[in-house]
């Protein structure tokens, strides 16, 4: 039986009233509107590509399966059927109202927090080799998207029924109840709390291309990663063939290995790498005399650095993780066994778990177990070529939204500073004698702009991006003055940039630099705006993330800047290409629209073609425009070259 039918059972209450042909006709006729409704109800946190495909899947599954409709008794004319509740106005068509109710139910179900694999959105349709996403909107659309992301699934549904479907309060409440919302009134109250967005008085924002999952842009997926996956599959097949020939060869070990898988083949060099007696241990003061301070100069710390049984289990699980071991690795990090004896960084008890940190010169491996030989986890992060600025701390544990760190031996003072409150004083962070910090609150996944705690070690600032090593934060022009986030201007800039760090999670980020490449006067005496470029570089030197932000100075203090363009794997805003060009459509208080564009210092002129035409002979461009207009920008550089916008 279909999972959705078993719980929702919309077909049970439609027998004899709506035939499948009528429902199919309504679905085909109103398909873009239904897909838009599902797309906006789904949580934004699942990613734009998955969200688009899931919205199409939910709209297509709204077609009833049973073709036996039309055979039941006719309904009484005074009876109001469930899918007819709230069908006045644009939803008055019975077929559309019925399909809309099914889409609403399915989208609300998919928007709930998932605990089991079968509660995920439908798997079809699928697109392989391409990333599909709607066209990017302007600052108003981004503000509305952010406001909707803070609502619950029923709250988003209530907002859409009111603003997109144009239903009254009573009609929306009855339709939400028919869709299975337990507290429809609370959902409407949550929707009413959404502030009126700039430019939304004409009701056009929800119908803009930003929220249209039927008008899509296509880009390829990570081509290098696809090649690596193909190679990994071939290597895995060869490894399986080789291992299959060795299954009958028994082996012996030197002691209990906990959650490690059994070993069938003997390899003397591998066994030497997994011998706890051969672990490398740096001298307590090696970091003082090292030519380059990094993880290789960290001494072994913790209350169990001499526990041979624990270290043997950690090494064995690293080499042969069993089926019960949860293994994770940052992007681009291999999870294979060490090629030689690794270095011990830490072994001890942390938050009711036993943690071991090991370093093999390229990766840090974190082994954690609950009780001796209990459930185990193994995490990897590539952290090669680290220096004193990028090897200040490692994550020891994450428990109940809190993180404990192991700080570098050269860190004298540790503090916690909220990036979004630049004028607030940092609070001291207590550490044990082994360098283990007190718990530090992590950033909420869905509401990162409520606060972003960062660790301050002297003048250096690092932020947790969900990986083993926090990312270093810097401020300044690439190649000409990148420095630590210190001083009023740097902290004020990061206060409006900090919550954009959520876009850089899971990429293996080593450092994030933000710098103001231009400032511009806004038309109609609208004040001024800053243009910022934020670049995240990774430990593997590929997979960078670049964001161009537009930050009007007269908006709410501390409000996040609008991301007007972004690029992956681009040298823009970095030491190789310290230049950038970006543009945005901006709406003045009078209601008139303008095309604004700005470039970095090397820009001597900007030309706009397409939907908006004009030119400037400087670093900034301001032209009257129409809502939704699309312009092509080109900049002329001082050396005679040409520069395209960041994308």
């Amino acid at each position: 039986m279909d999972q959705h039918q078993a719980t929702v059972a919309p077909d049970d209450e439609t027998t004899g009233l709506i035939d499948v042909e009528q429902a199919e006709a309504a679905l085909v006729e109103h398909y873009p509107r239904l897909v838009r409704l599902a797309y906006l109800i789904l949580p934004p946190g699942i990613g734009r590509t998955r969200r688009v495909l899931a919205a199409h899947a939910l709209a297509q599954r709204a077609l009833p399966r049973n073709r036996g409709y039309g055979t039941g008794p006719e309904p009484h004319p005074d009876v109001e059927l469930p899918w007819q509740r709230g069908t006045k106005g644009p939803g008055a068509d019975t077929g559309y109202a019925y399909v809309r109710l099914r889409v609403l139910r399915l989208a609300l179900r998919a928007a709930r927090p998932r605990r089991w694999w079968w509660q995920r959105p439908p798997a079809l349709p699928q697109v392989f080799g391409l990333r599909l996403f709607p066209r990017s909107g302007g600052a108003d659309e981004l503000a509305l998207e952010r406001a909707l992301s803070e609502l619950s699934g029923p709250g988003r549904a209530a907002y859409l029924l009111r603003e997109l479907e144009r239903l009254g309060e009573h009609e929306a409440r009855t339709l939400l109840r028919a869709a299975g919302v337990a507290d429809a009134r609370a959902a409407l109250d949550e929707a009413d709390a959404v502030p009126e967005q700039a430019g939304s008085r004409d009701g056009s924002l929800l119908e803009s291309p930003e929220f249209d999952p039927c008008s899509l842009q296509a880009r390829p997926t990570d081509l290098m990663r696809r090649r690596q996956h193909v190679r990994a599959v071939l290597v895995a097949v060869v490894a399986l063939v080789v291992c299959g020939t060795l299954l009958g060869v028994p082996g012996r070990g030197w002691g209990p290995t906990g959650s490690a898988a059994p070993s069938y083949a003997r390899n003397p060099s591998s066994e030497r790498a997994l011998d706890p007696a051969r672990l490398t241990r740096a001298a307590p003061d090696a970091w003082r005399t090292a030519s380059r301070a990094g993880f290789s100069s960290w001494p072994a710390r913790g209350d169990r650095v001499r526990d041979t049984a624990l270290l043997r289990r950690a090494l064995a699980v690293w080499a042969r993780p069993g089926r019960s071991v949860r293994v994770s690795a940052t992007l681009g990090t291999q999870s294979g066994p060490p090629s030689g004896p690794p270095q011990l960084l830490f072994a001890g008890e942390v938050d009711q778990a036993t943690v071991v940190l090991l370093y093999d010169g390229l990766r840090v491996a974190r082994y954690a177990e609950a009780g001796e030989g209990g459930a185990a986890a193994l995490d990897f992060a590539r952290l090669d070529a680290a220096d004193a600025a990028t090897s200040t701390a490692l994550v020891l544990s994450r428990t109940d939204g809190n993180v404990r760190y192991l700080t570098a031996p050269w860190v004298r003072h540790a503090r916690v500073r909220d990036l979004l409150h630049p004028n607030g004083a940092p609070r001291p962070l207590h550490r044990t004698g082994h360098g283990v910090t007190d718990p530090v609150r992590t950033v909420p996944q869905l509401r990162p702009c409520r606060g972003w705690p960062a660790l301050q070690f002297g003048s250096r600032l690092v932020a947790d991006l969900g990986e083993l090593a926090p990312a270093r934060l810097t401020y300044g022009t690439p190649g000409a003055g990148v420095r630590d986030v210190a001083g009023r201007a740097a902290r004020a800039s990061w206060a409006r940039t900090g919550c954009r760090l959520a876009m850089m999670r899971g990429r293996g980020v080593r450092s994030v630099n933000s710098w103001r490449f231009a400032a511009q006067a806004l038309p109609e005496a609208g004040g001024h705006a800053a243009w910022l470029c934020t670049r995240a570089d990774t430990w593997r030197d590929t997979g960078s993330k670049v964001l161009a932000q537009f930050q009007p100075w007269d908006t709410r203090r501390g409000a996040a800047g609008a991301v007007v363009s972004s690029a992956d794997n681009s040298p823009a805003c970095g030491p190789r290409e310290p230049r950038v060009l970006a543009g945005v459509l901006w709406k003045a208080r009078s209601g008139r629209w303008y095309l604004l564009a700005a470039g970095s210092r090397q820009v001597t002129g900007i030309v706009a073609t397409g939907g908006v035409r004009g030119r400037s002979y400087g670093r900034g461009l301001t032209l009257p425009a129409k809502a939704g207009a699309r312009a092509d920008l080109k900049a002329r550089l001082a050396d005679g070259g040409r520069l395209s916008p960041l994308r």
Side-chain angles (χ1 to χ4, degrees):
M1 177 180 293
D2 182 73
Q3 178 68 18
H4 289 276
Q5 284 186 332
T7 56
V8 178
D11 296 348
D12 297 342
E13 58 194 18
T14 64
T15 303
L17 304 174
I18 297 293
D19 58 42
V20 70
E21 288 79 13
Q22 184 179 358
E24 182 181 14
L27 178 61
V28 172
E29 180 181 359
H30 301 284
Y31 184 80
R33 190 177 190 89
L34 294 168
V35 176
R36 187 188 296 261
L37 184 66
Y39 177 80
L40 289 168
I41 293 177
L42 289 172
I46 65 176
R48 301 180 75 188
T49 298
R50 284 187 56 199
R51 193 176 167 198
V52 163
L53 296 178
H56 282 273
L58 294 175
Q60 293 171 18
R61 294 193 67 171
L63 184 67
R65 300 175 183 271
N66 188 357
R67 303 186 63 88
Y69 302 150
T71 60
E74 290 293 327
H76 191 279
D78 295 332
V79 175
E80 185 185 36
L81 299 171
W83 69 89
Q84 293 174 322
R85 298 169 186 163
T87 58
K88 303 177 180 62
D93 175 67
T94 305
Y96 171 70
Y98 166 69
V99 179
R100 179 181 64 185
L101 176 60
R102 286 182 60 98
V103 170
L104 193 63
R105 283 174 168 169
L106 294 174
L108 286 171
R109 168 182 286 270
R112 297 172 187 167
R114 301 187 298 271
R115 291 179 294 176
W116 308 102
W117 65 270
W118 61 78
Q119 293 177 325
R120 299 183 63 183
L124 295 175
Q126 284 286 351
V127 177
F128 297 96
L130 287 177
R131 294 186 295 111
L132 302 177
F133 49 88
R135 296 182 179 275
S136 299
D140 293 338
E141 286 83 357
L142 288 170
L144 179 57
E145 174 81 0
R146 184 167 61 251
L148 291 178
S149 68
E150 296 182 355
L151 300 180
S152 63
R156 286 192 296 272
Y159 184 83
L160 296 174
L161 292 178
R162 296 286 298 275
E163 301 296 330
L164 184 63
E165 294 293 300
R166 301 291 194 237
L167 299 184
E169 180 177 357
H170 175 71
E171 296 170 311
R173 184 168 61 250
T174 54
L175 188 56
L176 287 171
R177 289 173 178 169
V181 176
D183 194 345
R185 185 178 298 276
L188 287 169
D189 293 341
E190 188 179 0
D192 291 337
V194 176
E196 182 181 3
Q197 304 296 322
S200 64
R201 290 182 292 275
D202 54 3
S204 63
L205 281 185
L206 287 174
E207 299 177 358
S208 66
E210 169 78 7
F211 307 118
D212 184 5
C214 291
S215 177
L216 302 173
Q217 291 180 310
R219 294 291 185 274
T221 54
D222 192 329
L223 300 178
M224 294 299 296
R225 196 190 313 172
R226 280 161 51 185
R227 291 182 180 178
Q228 292 172 357
H229 288 174
V230 172
R231 294 170 184 166
V233 170
L234 294 177
V235 172
V237 171
V238 174
L240 287 175
V241 173
V242 173
C243 291
T245 62
L246 299 174
L247 287 178
V249 182
R252 295 178 296 174
W254 350 270
T257 54
S259 300
S263 175
Y264 295 100
R266 300 294 300 276
N267 187 316
S269 60
S270 297
E271 289 188 356
R272 284 194 296 271
L274 302 179
D275 185 354
R278 296 178 179 268
L279 282 174
T280 303
R281 301 168 189 260
D285 59 348
W287 59 274
R288 300 180 183 273
T289 58
S291 58
R292 185 185 66 185
F295 294 112
S296 59
S297 61
W298 280 29
R301 289 172 288 176
D303 53 5
R304 299 187 64 176
V305 293
R306 301 297 176 186
D307 190 334
T308 303
L310 169 63
L311 300 179
R312 178 175 292 120
R313 290 196 301 272
L315 291 167
V317 170
W318 184 352
R320 306 182 309 277
R323 294 183 178 180
S324 63
V325 179
R326 181 190 61 79
V327 181
S328 68
T330 58
L331 192 62
T333 303
Q334 301 297 325
S335 58
S339 57
Q343 178 182 346
L344 177 63
L345 302 181
F346 179 86
E349 303 292 333
V350 182
D351 292 331
Q352 290 78 49
T354 305
V355 178
V356 178
L357 289 181
L358 301 165
Y359 179 61
D360 67 352
L362 177 67
R363 303 163 295 170
V364 165
R366 175 185 174 273
Y367 170 81
E369 64 179 22
E372 184 173 344
L378 190 62
D379 304 312
F380 294 94
R382 179 175 173 177
L383 303 175
D384 54 318
D387 55 17
T390 54
S391 60
T392 53
L394 289 173
V395 171
L396 283 178
S397 71
R398 297 182 184 274
T399 306
D400 298 330
N402 295 292
V403 182
R404 288 186 189 270
Y405 298 89
L406 177 67
T407 59
W410 54 82
V411 171
R412 294 184 177 181
H413 304 287
R415 297 179 176 87
V416 178
R417 175 183 290 277
D418 192 341
L419 281 179
L420 307 189
H421 296 83
N423 296 327
R427 63 177 179 84
L429 180 62
H430 176 262
R431 296 178 296 160
T432 67
H434 294 292
V436 179
T437 69
D438 283 351
V440 179
R441 194 68 180 171
T442 57
V443 179
Q445 292 285 344
L446 297 181
R447 296 186 177 183
C449 290
R450 298 295 180 89
W452 197 291
L455 299 181
Q456 181 174 333
F457 303 130
S459 62
R460 297 183 180 121
L461 210 61
V462 298
D464 175 36
L465 297 184
E467 301 172 4
L468 277 181
R472 183 192 179 194
L473 305 182
T474 58
Y475 180 81
T477 306
V482 173
R483 56 189 183 278
D484 292 317
V485 182
R488 180 179 301 177
R491 286 198 292 266
S493 175
W494 266 105
R496 302 189 61 186
T497 305
C499 61
R500 298 305 179 195
L501 289 170
M503 304 175 65
M504 301 168 185
R505 292 179 182 271
R507 304 178 71 94
V509 175
R510 175 182 185 139
S511 62
V512 185
N513 181 60
S514 185
W515 60 293
R516 191 176 78 182
F517 64 87
Q520 187 174 22
L522 300 177
E524 300 186 15
H528 292 76
W531 293 86
L532 273 77
C533 197
T534 303
R535 178 183 177 87
D537 289 312
T538 67
W539 289 92
R540 61 190 186 280
D541 297 328
T542 60
S544 61
K545 181 76 173 180
V546 185
L547 306 176
Q549 298 183 66
F550 176 73
Q551 297 182 351
W553 291 343
D554 61 346
T555 55
R556 179 172 57 85
R557 188 174 187 180
V563 177
V564 298
S565 59
S566 64
D568 294 333
N569 300 318
S570 171
C573 293
R576 289 177 54 193
E577 292 189 12
R579 53 183 181 265
V580 63
L581 171 67
V584 67
L585 281 177
W586 179 77
K587 187 176 183 180
R589 290 191 176 93
S590 64
R592 288 189 287 268
W593 288 85
Y594 293 89
L595 171 66
L596 306 178
S600 50
R601 291 182 179 179
Q602 301 88 338
V603 172
T604 59
I606 303 175
V607 178
T609 58
V612 184
R613 292 181 175 272
R615 67 171 56 236
S616 71
Y617 297 94
R619 295 171 55 193
L621 173 69
T622 302
L623 294 173
K626 295 182 179 180
R630 296 192 175 276
D632 295 323
L633 296 175
K634 291 289 183 181
R636 183 177 63 255
L637 300 176
D639 59 3
R642 294 291 185 267
L643 180 64
S644 298
L646 181 69
R647 61 168 57 92

